[in-house]
Amino acid sequence: MMNGRMMDFPLTLTHLMERARRFFPETEVVSRAPDGSLHRHTWAQVYGRTAKLAHALTRLGVEPGERVATLAWNHHRHLEAYFAAPMMGAVVHTLNLRLHPNEIGYIARHAEDAIVLVDRSLLPLFEQFAASVPTIRHVVVMPDSGPAPEGRTDYEALLAPERDDFEWPKLDENAAAQICYTSGTTGNPKGVVYSHRSSVLHALAACLADSIGVSMHDTVLPVVPMFHANAWGLPHACAAAGARVVFPGPKLDPESLLDLMASERVTCAAGVPTIWLGILALLDQNPKKWDLSRLRQMVIGGSAAPASMIDGFQERHGLTVTHAWGMTETNPLGTIARVKPSIERAGDKGKTLQVRASQGFPVPFVETRHCDDTGKILPWDGKTMGELEVRGPWVAASYMGDEGQDRWAKDGWFKTGDVVTIDPEGYVRITDRSKDVIKSGGEWISSVALENLLMAHPAVLEAAVFAGRHPRWDERPIAAIVVKKGMAVTEAELAAHLESRVSKIWMPDAYVFLEQIPRTSTGKFLKTRLRETYGGMLEKAAEGR
Ligand code: ADP
């Protein structure tokens, strides 16, 4: 073999932040505070404050590899922590503020968090679990809603005396940079430990034109929380590209987000479907109220974006949805639904929408396959269902503490738990998470497909389909429905809507009408709750007969 003769240059986050400071010092990082006011910094200021934070953390005794946790909304201080801890050789650990305090406590203990940077507005939550985490040495209050209370260390006071530059250590690119826990839908939450290298490569992949395509011309609004899979890597990608960033803070209702997108001329926003369902409904009611002419795409993922939503945004408002798939374990970007030129040329609107509503095909350096229960690799025929497996440089190789080793196949591929088909072009289509598949008398019914169809009904705002226990068929689908404001729809109408589109076996046995579908900590439909509450209703009905 002949060796290449190129420099061995480590892929670290330090380079991304230094680049943003050097080439985009005036580009803004905007944050909205809980009171709605906007704070404007620049990448130069964010850099300076990152350095100050690194000095302050050094003064607090933070050692290489130690965990600096955050319990915070999306804002510039959180961004500073995102970079300061990893760049000084420590590890930032984003705590999910939507979990139960006991769960957050478990996660903080498991990660052995040493320092916690907590939003003032979240102190009451923090105090509910703080005492259960013996490793915490210091608590720093980020004053998002007024200065730290008496006796607490205030972030701004801590940074004030420090220098705004830092001799960043030379790091190994494989050093841990960040930890994020999965939400633990099966068993305890598991820690995914990203390296500098994986985060950098992921950021570059997010910047590719046929991926998210983050560029210096963008103003990016990460609606997705910074504790949910690194805000999908967007903070890193924005630093790499020199993009302008707008952080929404805690105001995540449709109206606040639309105001922010219009006033800050956002070009690229990203979040889970539940957020965008609300936004689409509000836009439909007030189609002229907001000027979104700058918005080039909304990146939607985390659960399936219904085709009717993708189409609704495009047809009624001229807005483009980019559908993407990923997981905490994949940093998260895995596949993205870009339409290949050959499909575009064919000009078949229906097929194009089908492709845009698929989970897409992998970005460079992510590889996909799907397998049956025995591990046999299945054909890419667009029909055969199996569990999606992935590998790549930003896919986890193990969890913290080596838990959950059964999630990796013998040859190292990561088993996603998603049931998919893959078509000959490589487009992945998720039919379900394996735990949500409805197994009815030997047939598998896709809850995602039914939800997509139900959400295409003009009166339906949200639909979640889940398994009800059934005395004869084991499981049968039940549909939870949220009706749009000011509209009405009956069970019979919904059944009629589905009838022509699915086989009889797929028709839901029951409908429940709700004010809102319960949400997970990351804003997805919480089907376990629906199963707990309504999963027995078919059995009861059968007994009653
Ligand atoms: P959580 O357990 O909180 O849902 P993740 O965000 O890591 O944590 O969830 C990853 C899972 O989300 C995937 O395995 C998949 O089931 C689902 N998912 C992500 N993106 C999509 C998408 N575009 N379409 C359908 N499901 C998706």
Side-chain angles (χ1 to χ4, degrees), residues 423-479:
D423 76 12
E425 298 251 29
Y427 286 96
V428 172
R429 288 188 177 76
I430 296 194
T431 59
D432 256 310
R433 291 183 99 158
S434 46
K435 58 185 175 13
D436 293 332
V437 179
I438 300 157
K439 293 176 185 140
S440 179
E443 166 125 4
W444 283 20
I445 297 174
S446 160
S447 66
V448 172
L450 283 173
E451 286 159 7
N452 267 322
L453 290 170
L454 286 165
M455 283 191 267
H457 188 285
V460 174
L461 178 65
E462 298 177 352
V465 176
F466 57 97
R469 293 185 298 281
H470 193 278
R472 172 142 180 234
W473 303 111
D474 284 341
E475 292 179 351
R476 292 292 303 151
I478 302 177

Short mmCIF file of all heavy atoms in Angstrom, two decimals, residues 423-479:
data_model
loop_
_atom_site.label_atom_id
_atom_site.label_comp_id
_atom_site.label_asym_id
_atom_site.label_seq_id
_atom_site.Cartn_x
_atom_site.Cartn_y
_atom_site.Cartn_z
N ASP A 423 -37.18 1.05 -1.62
CA ASP A 423 -37.52 0.81 -3.03
C ASP A 423 -36.24 0.74 -3.87
O ASP A 423 -35.14 0.98 -3.36
CB ASP A 423 -38.56 1.83 -3.53
CG ASP A 423 -37.98 3.21 -3.79
OD1 ASP A 423 -36.74 3.36 -3.81
OD2 ASP A 423 -38.78 4.15 -3.98
N PRO A 424 -36.39 0.35 -5.15
CA PRO A 424 -35.19 0.15 -5.96
C PRO A 424 -34.30 1.39 -6.08
O PRO A 424 -33.10 1.30 -6.31
CB PRO A 424 -35.76 -0.25 -7.33
CG PRO A 424 -37.11 -0.81 -7.04
CD PRO A 424 -37.61 -0.05 -5.86
N GLU A 425 -34.89 2.57 -5.91
CA GLU A 425 -34.12 3.82 -5.96
C GLU A 425 -33.42 4.12 -4.64
O GLU A 425 -32.69 5.09 -4.52
CB GLU A 425 -35.06 4.99 -6.27
CG GLU A 425 -35.76 4.89 -7.59
CD GLU A 425 -35.20 5.91 -8.57
OE1 GLU A 425 -34.01 6.27 -8.45
OE2 GLU A 425 -35.97 6.33 -9.44
N GLY A 426 -33.73 3.33 -3.60
CA GLY A 426 -33.10 3.54 -2.31
C GLY A 426 -33.94 4.34 -1.32
O GLY A 426 -33.53 4.59 -0.20
N TYR A 427 -35.14 4.76 -1.76
CA TYR A 427 -36.00 5.52 -0.85
C TYR A 427 -36.54 4.60 0.25
O TYR A 427 -37.09 3.54 -0.03
CB TYR A 427 -37.17 6.18 -1.59
CG TYR A 427 -36.74 7.38 -2.41
CD1 TYR A 427 -36.46 7.25 -3.77
CD2 TYR A 427 -36.60 8.64 -1.83
CE1 TYR A 427 -36.06 8.34 -4.53
CE2 TYR A 427 -36.20 9.74 -2.58
CZ TYR A 427 -35.93 9.59 -3.93
OH TYR A 427 -35.54 10.67 -4.67
N VAL A 428 -36.37 5.06 1.48
CA VAL A 428 -36.84 4.32 2.65
C VAL A 428 -38.24 4.80 3.00
O VAL A 428 -38.50 6.01 2.95
CB VAL A 428 -35.89 4.58 3.85
CG1 VAL A 428 -36.44 3.98 5.14
CG2 VAL A 428 -34.48 4.08 3.55
N ARG A 429 -39.13 3.88 3.32
CA ARG A 429 -40.46 4.28 3.79
C ARG A 429 -40.75 3.58 5.12
O ARG A 429 -40.74 2.35 5.19
CB ARG A 429 -41.54 3.93 2.77
CG ARG A 429 -41.47 4.84 1.57
CD ARG A 429 -42.64 4.67 0.61
NE ARG A 429 -42.51 5.64 -0.47
CZ ARG A 429 -41.65 5.53 -1.50
NH1 ARG A 429 -40.86 4.49 -1.60
NH2 ARG A 429 -41.58 6.47 -2.42
N ILE A 430 -40.96 4.37 6.13
CA ILE A 430 -41.24 3.80 7.46
C ILE A 430 -42.72 3.46 7.54
O ILE A 430 -43.56 4.31 7.29
CB ILE A 430 -40.86 4.79 8.56
CG1 ILE A 430 -39.35 5.03 8.52
CG2 ILE A 430 -41.34 4.31 9.93
CD1 ILE A 430 -38.79 5.71 9.73
N THR A 431 -43.00 2.21 7.87
CA THR A 431 -44.40 1.86 8.06
C THR A 431 -44.75 1.96 9.54
O THR A 431 -45.90 2.18 9.88
CB THR A 431 -44.72 0.45 7.55
OG1 THR A 431 -43.91 -0.47 8.25
CG2 THR A 431 -44.43 0.33 6.07
N ASP A 432 -43.77 1.84 10.40
CA ASP A 432 -44.00 1.92 11.83
C ASP A 432 -42.70 1.84 12.62
O ASP A 432 -41.70 1.38 12.10
CB ASP A 432 -44.90 0.77 12.32
CG ASP A 432 -46.30 1.23 12.59
OD1 ASP A 432 -46.43 2.23 13.30
OD2 ASP A 432 -47.24 0.62 12.08
N ARG A 433 -42.76 2.26 13.87
CA ARG A 433 -41.74 1.82 14.82
C ARG A 433 -42.20 0.43 15.23
O ARG A 433 -43.41 0.21 15.37
CB ARG A 433 -41.69 2.74 16.04
CG ARG A 433 -41.15 4.11 15.70
CD ARG A 433 -41.04 4.97 16.94
NE ARG A 433 -39.68 4.97 17.46
CZ ARG A 433 -39.19 5.93 18.24
NH1 ARG A 433 -39.94 6.92 18.63
NH2 ARG A 433 -37.94 5.88 18.66
N SER A 434 -41.26 -0.49 15.45
CA SER A 434 -41.70 -1.87 15.64
C SER A 434 -42.68 -2.01 16.79
O SER A 434 -43.60 -2.82 16.73
CB SER A 434 -40.52 -2.82 15.78
OG SER A 434 -39.59 -2.29 16.65
N LYS A 435 -42.54 -1.17 17.81
CA LYS A 435 -43.45 -1.30 18.95
C LYS A 435 -44.84 -0.73 18.66
O LYS A 435 -45.76 -0.94 19.43
CB LYS A 435 -42.85 -0.67 20.20
CG LYS A 435 -42.52 0.77 20.03
CD LYS A 435 -41.82 1.28 21.27
CE LYS A 435 -41.34 2.70 21.13
NZ LYS A 435 -41.78 3.52 20.06
N ASP A 436 -44.99 -0.01 17.56
CA ASP A 436 -46.29 0.58 17.24
C ASP A 436 -47.05 -0.17 16.15
O ASP A 436 -48.20 0.13 15.87
CB ASP A 436 -46.12 2.03 16.77
CG ASP A 436 -45.64 2.94 17.88
OD1 ASP A 436 -45.93 2.65 19.05
OD2 ASP A 436 -44.97 3.95 17.57
N VAL A 437 -46.40 -1.16 15.53
CA VAL A 437 -47.09 -1.93 14.49
C VAL A 437 -48.31 -2.59 15.10
O VAL A 437 -48.26 -3.08 16.24
CB VAL A 437 -46.17 -3.05 13.94
CG1 VAL A 437 -46.88 -3.86 12.88
CG2 VAL A 437 -44.90 -2.47 13.38
N ILE A 438 -49.40 -2.61 14.34
CA ILE A 438 -50.61 -3.25 14.85
C ILE A 438 -50.69 -4.65 14.23
O ILE A 438 -50.75 -4.79 13.01
CB ILE A 438 -51.84 -2.41 14.49
CG1 ILE A 438 -51.68 -1.02 15.13
CG2 ILE A 438 -53.12 -3.09 14.96
CD1 ILE A 438 -52.48 0.05 14.47
N LYS A 439 -50.64 -5.67 15.09
CA LYS A 439 -50.60 -7.04 14.60
C LYS A 439 -51.99 -7.64 14.73
O LYS A 439 -52.40 -8.02 15.81
CB LYS A 439 -49.58 -7.87 15.37
CG LYS A 439 -48.18 -7.36 15.06
CD LYS A 439 -47.10 -8.06 15.85
CE LYS A 439 -45.77 -7.40 15.56
NZ LYS A 439 -44.93 -7.25 16.75
N SER A 440 -52.67 -7.72 13.62
CA SER A 440 -54.07 -8.12 13.63
C SER A 440 -54.24 -9.43 12.88
O SER A 440 -54.11 -9.47 11.66
CB SER A 440 -54.90 -7.02 12.96
OG SER A 440 -56.25 -7.40 12.94
N GLY A 441 -54.48 -10.51 13.65
CA GLY A 441 -54.71 -11.82 13.03
C GLY A 441 -53.65 -12.18 12.01
O GLY A 441 -53.98 -12.60 10.92
N GLY A 442 -52.40 -11.96 12.35
CA GLY A 442 -51.31 -12.36 11.45
C GLY A 442 -50.94 -11.28 10.43
O GLY A 442 -49.90 -11.32 9.81
N GLU A 443 -51.79 -10.29 10.28
CA GLU A 443 -51.49 -9.20 9.33
C GLU A 443 -50.88 -8.01 10.08
O GLU A 443 -51.28 -7.70 11.20
CB GLU A 443 -52.79 -8.77 8.64
CG GLU A 443 -52.68 -7.47 7.90
CD GLU A 443 -53.09 -7.59 6.44
OE1 GLU A 443 -53.53 -8.68 6.04
OE2 GLU A 443 -52.98 -6.61 5.70
N TRP A 444 -49.92 -7.34 9.45
CA TRP A 444 -49.35 -6.13 10.05
C TRP A 444 -50.02 -4.92 9.45
O TRP A 444 -50.03 -4.75 8.23
CB TRP A 444 -47.85 -6.05 9.80
CG TRP A 444 -47.07 -6.96 10.68
CD1 TRP A 444 -47.53 -8.07 11.33
CD2 TRP A 444 -45.68 -6.86 11.00
NE1 TRP A 444 -46.52 -8.67 12.03
CE2 TRP A 444 -45.37 -7.93 11.84
CE3 TRP A 444 -44.68 -5.96 10.65
CZ2 TRP A 444 -44.09 -8.14 12.35
CZ3 TRP A 444 -43.40 -6.15 11.14
CH2 TRP A 444 -43.12 -7.24 12.00
N ILE A 445 -50.55 -4.09 10.33
CA ILE A 445 -51.21 -2.87 9.86
C ILE A 445 -50.34 -1.68 10.22
O ILE A 445 -49.90 -1.54 11.36
CB ILE A 445 -52.61 -2.74 10.51
CG1 ILE A 445 -53.48 -3.94 10.06
CG2 ILE A 445 -53.26 -1.42 10.15
CD1 ILE A 445 -54.83 -4.00 10.74
N SER A 446 -50.08 -0.84 9.23
CA SER A 446 -49.19 0.30 9.45
C SER A 446 -49.96 1.47 10.05
O SER A 446 -50.82 2.05 9.42
CB SER A 446 -48.56 0.72 8.12
OG SER A 446 -48.08 2.03 8.21
N SER A 447 -49.61 1.82 11.29
CA SER A 447 -50.29 2.95 11.92
C SER A 447 -49.94 4.24 11.19
O SER A 447 -50.77 5.13 11.03
CB SER A 447 -49.92 3.04 13.40
OG SER A 447 -48.55 3.34 13.57
N VAL A 448 -48.71 4.33 10.70
CA VAL A 448 -48.28 5.55 10.00
C VAL A 448 -49.11 5.77 8.74
O VAL A 448 -49.56 6.88 8.46
CB VAL A 448 -46.77 5.48 9.66
CG1 VAL A 448 -46.37 6.65 8.77
CG2 VAL A 448 -45.93 5.47 10.92
N ALA A 449 -49.35 4.70 7.99
CA ALA A 449 -50.13 4.83 6.75
C ALA A 449 -51.55 5.30 7.07
O ALA A 449 -52.09 6.18 6.40
CB ALA A 449 -50.15 3.50 6.01
N LEU A 450 -52.16 4.72 8.09
CA LEU A 450 -53.52 5.13 8.45
C LEU A 450 -53.56 6.58 8.92
O LEU A 450 -54.46 7.35 8.57
CB LEU A 450 -54.08 4.20 9.55
CG LEU A 450 -54.54 2.82 9.07
CD1 LEU A 450 -54.90 1.94 10.25
CD2 LEU A 450 -55.74 2.94 8.12
N GLU A 451 -52.55 6.96 9.72
CA GLU A 451 -52.51 8.35 10.20
C GLU A 451 -52.41 9.31 9.02
O GLU A 451 -53.06 10.35 8.98
CB GLU A 451 -51.30 8.54 11.12
CG GLU A 451 -51.50 7.90 12.47
CD GLU A 451 -50.19 7.61 13.21
OE1 GLU A 451 -49.12 8.03 12.73
OE2 GLU A 451 -50.25 6.95 14.25
N ASN A 452 -51.56 8.96 8.07
CA ASN A 452 -51.39 9.80 6.88
C ASN A 452 -52.70 10.02 6.17
O ASN A 452 -53.04 11.13 5.79
CB ASN A 452 -50.41 9.14 5.92
CG ASN A 452 -49.00 9.64 6.15
OD1 ASN A 452 -48.81 10.81 6.44
ND2 ASN A 452 -48.04 8.76 6.04
N LEU A 453 -53.44 8.94 6.01
CA LEU A 453 -54.72 9.04 5.31
C LEU A 453 -55.72 9.87 6.13
O LEU A 453 -56.43 10.72 5.60
CB LEU A 453 -55.28 7.64 5.04
CG LEU A 453 -54.50 6.84 3.99
CD1 LEU A 453 -54.97 5.39 3.96
CD2 LEU A 453 -54.67 7.48 2.61
N LEU A 454 -55.76 9.61 7.43
CA LEU A 454 -56.72 10.34 8.26
C LEU A 454 -56.39 11.83 8.29
O LEU A 454 -57.27 12.68 8.23
CB LEU A 454 -56.74 9.76 9.68
CG LEU A 454 -57.44 8.41 9.79
CD1 LEU A 454 -57.11 7.72 11.11
CD2 LEU A 454 -58.96 8.57 9.65
N MET A 455 -55.10 12.16 8.35
CA MET A 455 -54.74 13.57 8.42
C MET A 455 -54.95 14.27 7.07
O MET A 455 -54.88 15.49 6.99
CB MET A 455 -53.31 13.73 8.93
CG MET A 455 -53.25 13.52 10.44
SD MET A 455 -51.69 14.00 11.22
CE MET A 455 -50.80 12.46 11.21
N ALA A 456 -55.23 13.49 6.04
CA ALA A 456 -55.57 14.11 4.75
C ALA A 456 -57.03 14.54 4.71
O ALA A 456 -57.44 15.24 3.79
CB ALA A 456 -55.27 13.13 3.61
N HIS A 457 -57.82 14.13 5.70
CA HIS A 457 -59.22 14.59 5.74
C HIS A 457 -59.23 16.06 6.15
O HIS A 457 -58.57 16.43 7.12
CB HIS A 457 -60.03 13.74 6.74
CG HIS A 457 -61.49 14.02 6.68
ND1 HIS A 457 -62.04 15.16 7.21
CD2 HIS A 457 -62.51 13.34 6.11
CE1 HIS A 457 -63.35 15.15 6.99
NE2 HIS A 457 -63.65 14.06 6.31
N PRO A 458 -60.00 16.89 5.44
CA PRO A 458 -59.91 18.34 5.70
C PRO A 458 -60.29 18.76 7.12
O PRO A 458 -59.88 19.83 7.55
CB PRO A 458 -60.88 18.94 4.67
CG PRO A 458 -61.61 17.81 4.03
CD PRO A 458 -60.83 16.57 4.27
N ALA A 459 -61.04 17.94 7.83
CA ALA A 459 -61.45 18.37 9.18
C ALA A 459 -60.52 17.84 10.27
O ALA A 459 -60.68 18.16 11.44
CB ALA A 459 -62.87 17.89 9.45
N VAL A 460 -59.52 17.04 9.87
CA VAL A 460 -58.67 16.41 10.90
C VAL A 460 -57.38 17.20 11.09
O VAL A 460 -56.65 17.45 10.14
CB VAL A 460 -58.34 14.95 10.50
CG1 VAL A 460 -57.34 14.34 11.47
CG2 VAL A 460 -59.62 14.13 10.45
N LEU A 461 -57.14 17.60 12.34
CA LEU A 461 -55.88 18.29 12.65
C LEU A 461 -54.79 17.28 12.97
O LEU A 461 -53.70 17.33 12.44
CB LEU A 461 -56.09 19.23 13.84
CG LEU A 461 -54.84 19.99 14.31
CD1 LEU A 461 -54.36 20.95 13.23
CD2 LEU A 461 -55.12 20.76 15.59
N GLU A 462 -55.11 16.34 13.88
CA GLU A 462 -54.12 15.34 14.28
C GLU A 462 -54.79 13.96 14.30
O GLU A 462 -55.96 13.84 14.69
CB GLU A 462 -53.59 15.61 15.70
CG GLU A 462 -52.87 16.93 15.83
CD GLU A 462 -52.42 17.20 17.27
OE1 GLU A 462 -52.81 16.44 18.17
OE2 GLU A 462 -51.67 18.16 17.45
N ALA A 463 -54.02 12.95 13.92
CA ALA A 463 -54.52 11.58 14.03
C ALA A 463 -53.39 10.68 14.49
O ALA A 463 -52.27 10.78 13.98
CB ALA A 463 -55.06 11.10 12.69
N ALA A 464 -53.67 9.85 15.48
CA ALA A 464 -52.69 8.85 15.91
C ALA A 464 -53.41 7.51 15.98
O ALA A 464 -54.48 7.41 16.58
CB ALA A 464 -52.13 9.21 17.28
N VAL A 465 -52.84 6.52 15.32
CA VAL A 465 -53.48 5.20 15.27
C VAL A 465 -52.65 4.25 16.13
O VAL A 465 -51.42 4.23 16.03
CB VAL A 465 -53.60 4.71 13.82
CG1 VAL A 465 -54.18 3.30 13.78
CG2 VAL A 465 -54.48 5.67 13.01
N PHE A 466 -53.34 3.49 16.96
CA PHE A 466 -52.63 2.61 17.89
C PHE A 466 -53.38 1.30 18.04
O PHE A 466 -54.54 1.19 17.61
CB PHE A 466 -52.46 3.29 19.26
CG PHE A 466 -53.75 3.71 19.88
CD1 PHE A 466 -54.39 2.91 20.83
CD2 PHE A 466 -54.38 4.89 19.50
CE1 PHE A 466 -55.61 3.28 21.39
CE2 PHE A 466 -55.60 5.27 20.05
CZ PHE A 466 -56.21 4.47 21.00
N ALA A 467 -52.74 0.33 18.66
CA ALA A 467 -53.32 -1.00 18.78
C ALA A 467 -54.25 -1.09 19.98
O ALA A 467 -53.86 -0.75 21.10
CB ALA A 467 -52.21 -2.03 18.92
N GLY A 468 -55.45 -1.55 19.73
CA GLY A 468 -56.35 -1.90 20.82
C GLY A 468 -56.33 -3.43 20.94
O GLY A 468 -56.26 -4.13 19.93
N ARG A 469 -56.35 -3.94 22.17
CA ARG A 469 -56.37 -5.40 22.34
C ARG A 469 -57.72 -5.93 21.87
O ARG A 469 -58.76 -5.30 22.09
CB ARG A 469 -56.14 -5.76 23.80
CG ARG A 469 -54.75 -5.42 24.29
CD ARG A 469 -54.53 -5.93 25.71
NE ARG A 469 -55.45 -5.31 26.67
CZ ARG A 469 -55.29 -4.08 27.18
NH1 ARG A 469 -54.26 -3.34 26.82
NH2 ARG A 469 -56.16 -3.61 28.06
N HIS A 470 -57.68 -7.08 21.20
CA HIS A 470 -58.92 -7.62 20.65
C HIS A 470 -59.03 -9.11 20.95
O HIS A 470 -58.07 -9.85 20.73
CB HIS A 470 -58.96 -7.38 19.13
CG HIS A 470 -60.30 -7.61 18.55
ND1 HIS A 470 -60.76 -8.87 18.23
CD2 HIS A 470 -61.30 -6.74 18.24
CE1 HIS A 470 -61.99 -8.76 17.74
NE2 HIS A 470 -62.34 -7.49 17.74
N PRO A 471 -60.17 -9.55 21.46
CA PRO A 471 -60.31 -10.95 21.86
C PRO A 471 -60.10 -11.93 20.70
O PRO A 471 -59.61 -13.03 20.92
CB PRO A 471 -61.75 -11.05 22.39
CG PRO A 471 -62.44 -9.79 22.02
CD PRO A 471 -61.39 -8.76 21.75
N ARG A 472 -60.41 -11.54 19.49
CA ARG A 472 -60.32 -12.49 18.39
C ARG A 472 -59.07 -12.25 17.54
O ARG A 472 -58.40 -13.19 17.12
CB ARG A 472 -61.58 -12.35 17.53
CG ARG A 472 -61.54 -13.10 16.28
CD ARG A 472 -62.89 -13.73 15.95
NE ARG A 472 -62.78 -14.45 14.71
CZ ARG A 472 -63.57 -14.28 13.67
NH1 ARG A 472 -64.56 -13.40 13.74
NH2 ARG A 472 -63.38 -14.97 12.58
N TRP A 473 -58.74 -10.98 17.28
CA TRP A 473 -57.66 -10.66 16.33
C TRP A 473 -56.36 -10.24 17.00
O TRP A 473 -55.47 -9.72 16.33
CB TRP A 473 -58.12 -9.55 15.37
CG TRP A 473 -59.38 -9.89 14.62
CD1 TRP A 473 -60.61 -9.33 14.79
CD2 TRP A 473 -59.52 -10.88 13.60
NE1 TRP A 473 -61.52 -9.90 13.94
CE2 TRP A 473 -60.88 -10.86 13.20
CE3 TRP A 473 -58.64 -11.78 12.98
CZ2 TRP A 473 -61.38 -11.70 12.20
CZ3 TRP A 473 -59.14 -12.61 11.99
CH2 TRP A 473 -60.49 -12.57 11.61
N ASP A 474 -56.26 -10.43 18.33
CA ASP A 474 -55.11 -9.94 19.11
C ASP A 474 -55.12 -8.42 19.20
O ASP A 474 -55.26 -7.86 20.27
CB ASP A 474 -53.76 -10.38 18.51
CG ASP A 474 -53.48 -11.83 18.81
OD1 ASP A 474 -54.13 -12.34 19.75
OD2 ASP A 474 -52.66 -12.45 18.13
N GLU A 475 -54.93 -7.78 18.04
CA GLU A 475 -54.92 -6.32 18.05
C GLU A 475 -55.74 -5.79 16.87
O GLU A 475 -55.78 -6.43 15.81
CB GLU A 475 -53.48 -5.78 17.91
CG GLU A 475 -52.60 -6.06 19.11
CD GLU A 475 -51.18 -5.54 18.93
OE1 GLU A 475 -50.80 -5.12 17.82
OE2 GLU A 475 -50.44 -5.57 19.93
N ARG A 476 -56.38 -4.66 17.10
CA ARG A 476 -57.08 -3.97 16.01
C ARG A 476 -56.79 -2.48 16.11
O ARG A 476 -56.57 -1.96 17.22
CB ARG A 476 -58.61 -4.20 16.12
CG ARG A 476 -59.09 -5.62 15.87
CD ARG A 476 -58.91 -6.02 14.41
NE ARG A 476 -59.60 -5.09 13.54
CZ ARG A 476 -59.20 -4.82 12.28
NH1 ARG A 476 -58.14 -5.40 11.78
NH2 ARG A 476 -59.87 -3.96 11.55
N PRO A 477 -56.76 -1.78 14.99
CA PRO A 477 -56.46 -0.34 15.05
C PRO A 477 -57.57 0.49 15.69
O PRO A 477 -58.75 0.24 15.42
CB PRO A 477 -56.28 0.06 13.57
CG PRO A 477 -56.79 -1.07 12.76
CD PRO A 477 -56.86 -2.29 13.62
N ILE A 478 -57.14 1.44 16.50
CA ILE A 478 -58.05 2.47 17.03
C ILE A 478 -57.44 3.80 16.60
O ILE A 478 -56.22 3.98 16.66
CB ILE A 478 -58.13 2.42 18.57
CG1 ILE A 478 -58.60 1.03 19.04
CG2 ILE A 478 -59.05 3.50 19.11
CD1 ILE A 478 -58.63 0.88 20.56
N ALA A 479 -58.27 4.74 16.17
CA ALA A 479 -57.76 6.03 15.74
C ALA A 479 -58.14 7.11 16.74
O ALA A 479 -59.32 7.26 17.08
CB ALA A 479 -58.31 6.37 14.36
#
